[in-house]
Amino acid sequence: MTETTPELQTKLQNLSLAEGENWKDVKDFIPEKYITNAERVLGWESGPTRIQVEVLKKIVSNEEAKSEKHIVAQAELGSGKTGMFCFAILRKLDLNRGLQALVFCDTMELTIQTAKEISKLAGNDVRVWTAFRGEIKKINNEVEEGDPHIIVGTVG
């Protein structure tokens, strides 16, 4: 779990990354192993997009205010919106506990796509399952047995 100190909060609010600057500039806010997975598995070598930096600022701001405000982000396809909300979940995840996040999607296809994205970013430490059509399935069979940390599902 990543804790945000007042100093890190100030650093993030003053962060003025341009599109594509290095991911290492946000490493204090996202556990480095997840950034490494993003670079290695998903090819995110160019660094965070503008929408990712703005969403990260909102996430950390909500945490500091101990607020549960919703964050709505709209950007073009492929801008990294799914990746950033995955990072928001992974930031707070405690691997010693069971289920900690439920993600709801509109369709079965989006459920599978989102679960695979979370699994790729999380690596083999995090148990991600899908739930749809009355079935619950593990996404990554390489992950150890146990209750899921994250379930991604749909009602359809």
Side-chain angles (χ1 to χ4, degrees):
M1 189 177 331
T2 303
E3 295 297 324
T4 306
T5 64
E7 295 82 19
L8 286 178
Q9 174 72 13
T10 301
K11 178 182 173 184
L12 180 64
Q13 293 309 319
N14 294 327
L15 193 62
S16 60
L17 286 175
E19 177 108 11
E21 285 192 37
N22 196 315
W23 273 107
K24 301 307 178 213
D25 294 329
V26 295
K27 71 179 180 334
D28 292 329
F29 309 101
I30 300 169
E32 192 161 354
K33 67 181 176 180
Y34 301 133
I35 293 173
T36 301
N37 287 344
E39 291 173 336
R40 183 178 47 81
V41 177
L42 301 175
W44 290 8
E45 294 176 6
S46 64
T49 62
R50 185 166 316 284
I51 190 71
Q52 289 175 320
V53 172
E54 293 307 314
V55 168
L56 182 61
K57 286 180 180 183
K58 294 282 188 191
I59 291 166
V60 173
S61 176
N62 281 350
E63 290 172 3
E64 280 302 301
K66 301 204 180 337
S67 171
E68 294 295 326
K69 292 181 182 174
H70 296 279
I71 298 172
V72 177
Q74 184 175 0
E76 62 278 351
L77 185 66
S79 62
K81 297 178 297 294
T82 302
M84 189 47 65
F85 91 72
C86 293
F87 281 145
I89 293 169
L90 295 171
R91 255 177 77 72
K92 303 299 278 180
L93 204 65
D94 179 351
L95 296 176
N96 296 316
R97 293 180 45 217
L99 182 62
Q100 296 167 65
L102 294 171
V103 178
F104 292 96
C105 299
D106 293 340
T107 65
M108 182 179 71
E109 292 79 12
L110 187 57
T111 296
I112 294 167
Q113 176 186 341
T114 301
K116 285 181 178 179
E117 183 90 357
I118 294 172
S119 184
K120 287 177 187 174
L121 285 173
N124 291 337
D125 294 341
V126 180
R127 295 182 294 274
V128 181
W129 294 12
T130 58
F132 55 87
R133 292 187 180 160
E135 295 183 27
I136 298 177
K137 298 180 181 178
K138 278 181 20 176
I139 286 296
N140 184 348
N141 288 326
E142 313 236 337
V143 177
E144 67 182 58
E145 292 297 320
D147 292 336
H149 296 111
I150 302 168
I151 294 179
V152 183
T154 186
V155 295

